[in-house]
Amino acid sequence: MTPFGDYLELVRAPAVLTVLGDTMAGGAAAGRVLSGRRLWMPLASACLYAGGMALNDYADRDVDARERPQRPLPSGRVSAGSALAAASALTVAGLGLCAVAGGRRALAVGVPLAGSIWTYDLIAKNHTLIGAVSMGSCRALDVLMGAGAGQMRPALGAAGIMGGHTVAVTLLSRGEVEGTDTVTASGVAATTGLVAAAVVAGSSGPPARMLAVLAATAAYAARCGPAQIRAARSPAAANALAATRAGIRAMIPLQAALAVRYGHPTAAGALVAVDVLGKILRSRPKARKVSES
């Protein structure tokens, strides 16, 4: 793998696609169309997310040396200093794009989001429940960044839905190496059902919109539910890992469902295209080496 490919692996490039729709959903909830300068907002999220992934590997370099020696840092393909520099540069870039896209209102949410990401990676994630809630808060703040300070109230529902899903996926991810347990995996599967119900319950509008919401919500549940149920039946590490990856990928149809729910089918269509792109990239032999989790 080339040095550039090593950095793509460091930031878990395929997973970056799953964050693009957060600000779309938040903006849709607040009635803000994704156009003009606001087109930079998803890229701001992508930079902040990628920075968080690089910082994650920097913070976990000793643990990864034992559990994931193939990762860029323990394998020596990327140095710890370079990972920290990448995390810092991507965070600064994300905040810069946030300022360009949404001005002070977006930056008023973007700065706490960046702080939350660094707090999670360096401190909070070492505590199972606190870490999961912290990660969920990061995702919720990313949604709210799309709405901007002063217009966050309409987006609180979308932020709670994305945050709740993220908490569940994060709890399940704790079992990627040594396995999870039936209670955790069952709880995560139940959360998927609750999240799907919350999306549909908060929807209204003409029949065409309702059908689109139902279709996107069904796609979300179908994307991650079966893998979570398998993990509940057999909580081995391989099943926990598969369910975690499915949960990460399911964020895109969930974001699309929220975009349609708030009357923004164009944003939902863009997310469908992102989802297709992700599938294409994952099908490429070289891309299979770049883990999402």
Side-chain angles (χ1 to χ4, degrees):
M1 187 176 290
T2 65
F4 181 69
D6 294 333
Y7 277 96
L8 289 179
E9 184 177 352
L10 176 71
V11 302
R12 295 165 175 78
V16 173
L17 295 176
T18 69
V19 80
L20 297 176
D22 285 347
T23 53
M24 293 186 191
R32 308 188 71 179
V33 180
L34 189 69
S35 62
R37 293 190 305 170
R38 287 188 55 79
L39 289 171
W40 293 104
M41 191 66 77
L43 294 179
S45 294
C47 286
L48 292 172
Y49 185 93
M53 291 296 98
L55 185 64
N56 176 81
D57 274 23
Y58 170 80
D60 281 356
R61 60 193 184 280
D62 293 335
V63 175
D64 285 345
R66 299 190 304 270
E67 298 180 349
R68 300 179 179 90
Q70 77 280 4
R71 292 290 300 159
L73 265 68
S75 66
R77 289 178 285 130
V78 177
S79 69
S82 296
L84 183 59
S88 302
L90 286 165
T91 299
V92 171
L95 291 175
L97 289 170
C98 176
V100 170
R104 293 181 179 178
R105 288 187 173 184
L107 201 58
V109 185
V111 171
L113 169 59
S116 296
I117 291 171
W118 281 66
T119 299
Y120 168 78
D121 282 323
L122 298 179
I123 301 174
K125 72 175 177 181
N126 295 322
H127 307 278
T128 302
L129 182 57
I130 294 175
V133 173
S134 176
M135 176 63 86
S137 297
C138 291
R139 181 69 70 157
L141 283 171
D142 197 35
V143 174
L144 294 177
M145 186 171 71
Q151 294 180 288
M152 292 192 294
R153 180 173 293 183
L156 288 176
I161 285 171
M162 291 304 304
H165 174 76
T166 303
V167 169
V169 172
T170 304
L171 286 171
L172 192 56
S173 72
R174 304 296 187 183
E176 290 181 3
V177 176
E178 298 180 356
T180 183
D181 59 77
T182 299
V183 173
T184 298
S186 298
V188 170
T191 299
T192 294
L194 291 173
V195 166
V199 174
V200 174
S203 303
S204 62
R209 179 189 295 181
M210 292 301 299
L211 285 174
V213 171
L214 288 171
T217 305
Y220 156 70
R223 180 71 57 86
C224 60
Q228 292 166 352
I229 293 172
R230 284 194 296 271
R233 291 174 175 172
S234 177
N239 288 337
L241 176 60
T244 298
R245 289 178 174 173
I248 293 172
R249 295 168 186 170
M251 289 180 180
I252 299 179
L254 180 56
Q255 293 157 347
L258 289 170
V260 174
R261 166 179 157 173
Y262 292 112
H264 288 258
T266 302
L271 288 169
V272 171
V274 169
D275 197 26
V276 172
L277 175 61
K279 292 179 181 178
I280 293 173
L281 292 177
R282 288 194 300 271
S283 69
R284 298 173 65 87
K286 291 183 179 179
R288 291 171 188 162
K289 299 179 181 180
V290 183
S291 175
E292 291 173 290
S293 59

